[in-house]
Amino acid sequence: MSSEVSGDKTFADDHYCLCCGDQNPLGFKMKFRFEGETLLSEVVVPKEYQGFSHVVHGGILGTLLDEIMVNCYWLKGIKVVTVEYQVRLKAPCPTDARVLLSAWPLEEKRQLYYVAAEAHLEDGTVVAETTAKCMKIK
């Protein structure tokens, strides 16, 4: 995300984002690429982010999915923030495994942008899916 001001709140990018910041030593350093309208990324979540033994914490999966959904718009120049999202955990996600993330836009209504995403393993197992409502900021 780039620097952006909305009212008296600042949305500045200091490259320390947990998910995509390249300066955060504890971050995931996500990289993104589009295939058509679908945004893709991949991460390996280390044991330090587990819930149960060797299982990625569900909140971390939700955070990663939130990041790819917002970037589905930011990377197209549409400045949005998440106002609501719902995560469905479908299967245990092992730590230290490659997790493939994808997000795609659903619809736009005025200043609201709806998006969906999923996380799956290399064997195709879907570990989490989510939908979000994002709001455009100025």
Side-chain angles (χ1 to χ4, degrees):
M1 291 185 205
S2 62
S3 293
E4 188 68 27
V5 176
S6 176
D8 61 345
K9 295 183 181 182
T10 302
F11 295 91
D13 183 3
D14 65 358
H15 303 279
Y16 224 78
C17 173
L18 173 65
C19 294
C20 69
D22 58 6
Q23 298 299 309
N24 187 334
L26 302 177
F28 296 102
K29 298 175 179 52
M30 292 172 71
K31 303 293 181 213
F32 304 100
R33 72 180 188 287
F34 277 101
E35 282 188 10
E37 288 294 306
T38 302
L39 184 62
L40 304 172
S41 188
E42 60 186 63
V43 296
V44 174
V45 182
K47 183 175 175 56
E48 288 77 11
Y49 296 100
Q50 76 176 25
F52 293 106
S53 180
H54 303 287
V55 176
V56 174
H57 191 285
I60 294 296
L61 286 174
T63 300
L64 294 167
L65 289 167
D66 179 42
E67 182 73 14
I68 196 167
M69 287 188 295
V70 167
N71 273 287
C72 196
Y73 293 107
W74 272 87
L75 294 174
K76 293 179 182 177
I78 302 169
K79 312 297 190 213
V80 300
V81 292
T82 304
V83 294
E84 180 179 291
Y85 75 108
Q86 181 178 14
V87 179
R88 287 168 296 287
L89 301 173
K90 308 283 283 182
C93 181
T95 56
D96 298 312
R98 192 170 140 205
V99 181
L100 307 170
L101 304 159
S102 57
W104 55 95
L106 296 174
E107 70 176 310
E108 301 170 18
K109 290 183 180 177
R110 296 185 185 152
Q111 299 297 310
L112 296 176
Y113 293 78
Y114 297 85
V115 60
E118 75 173 21
H120 64 275
L121 303 176
E122 288 186 282
D123 69 2
T125 302
V126 176
V127 294
E129 22 180 65
T130 186
T131 55
K133 177 174 28 174
C134 300
M135 181 179 68
K136 190 171 184 179
I137 59 173
K138 297 179 182 180

